[in-house]
Amino acid sequence: MPVSTKPARVECLNPNTGSRMNIDKSTYDLFSKAIYHTLKQRQPLTYTEIVDGIRDCFREQKTRFSGSVSWYAVTVKHDMHARGIIEVFTEKGKKLHRLAK
């Protein structure tokens, strides 16, 4: 009897709505590393700057991704915020993100 192996999944939390979403672990790892790398280079950043940083990171590493970069970016960003990896705050009317201390 063949054994089907499903790709590992990660449950992403949304701190604003409390909803949960499952995405592939490899996709989660790809985006979480890119977000971390982007925020490590320069912070604080807006969401748009984070997405631009992810795209730059993918370009530098020659990573091909066929899905919606902005959708996965916001999903993983929310999860990282819920887990306390990044902080979200407002300054001069702008919503900004930085790595947690």
Side-chain angles (χ1 to χ4, degrees), residues 39-54:
L39 287 173
K40 191 141 175 119
Q41 287 181 338
R42 189 175 67 114
Q43 53 185 338
L45 296 175
T46 64
Y47 166 72
T48 304
E49 292 170 328
I50 290 173
V51 172
D52 291 342
I54 291 169

Side-chain angles (χ1 to χ4, degrees), residues 35-36 38-51 77 86-92 94-101:
I35 291 169
Y36 186 83
T38 300
L39 287 173
K40 191 141 175 119
Q41 287 181 338
R42 189 175 67 114
Q43 53 185 338
L45 296 175
T46 64
Y47 166 72
T48 304
E49 292 170 328
I50 290 173
V51 172
K77 178 189 73 74
I86 63 174
E87 296 175 341
V88 180
F89 62 99
T90 304
E91 188 175 277
K92 295 182 183 175
K94 283 187 176 182
K95 191 172 183 182
L96 300 171
H97 306 81
R98 66 179 168 215
L99 295 173
K101 297 176 180 164

Side-chain angles (χ1 to χ4, degrees), residues 11-85:
E11 185 176 62
C12 295
L13 310 170
N14 185 327
N16 302 323
T17 64
S19 65
R20 298 167 187 270
M21 192 165 307
N22 292 319
I23 64 173
D24 288 338
K25 183 175 180 355
S26 60
T27 303
Y28 180 88
D29 290 342
L30 180 69
F31 276 84
S32 65
K33 287 177 185 173
I35 291 169
Y36 186 83
H37 175 72
T38 300
L39 287 173
K40 191 141 175 119
Q41 287 181 338
R42 189 175 67 114
Q43 53 185 338
L45 296 175
T46 64
Y47 166 72
T48 304
E49 292 170 328
I50 290 173
V51 172
D52 291 342
I54 291 169
R55 287 191 173 113
D56 291 342
C57 189
F58 286 179
R59 205 172 301 118
E60 288 171 10
Q61 297 175 0
K62 296 182 171 89
T63 302
R64 296 189 61 113
F65 186 76
S66 60
S68 171
V69 172
S70 57
W71 186 89
Y72 281 97
V74 75
T75 301
V76 174
K77 178 189 73 74
H78 281 319
D79 184 68
M80 292 174 77
H81 176 229
R83 296 175 192 267
I85 298 168

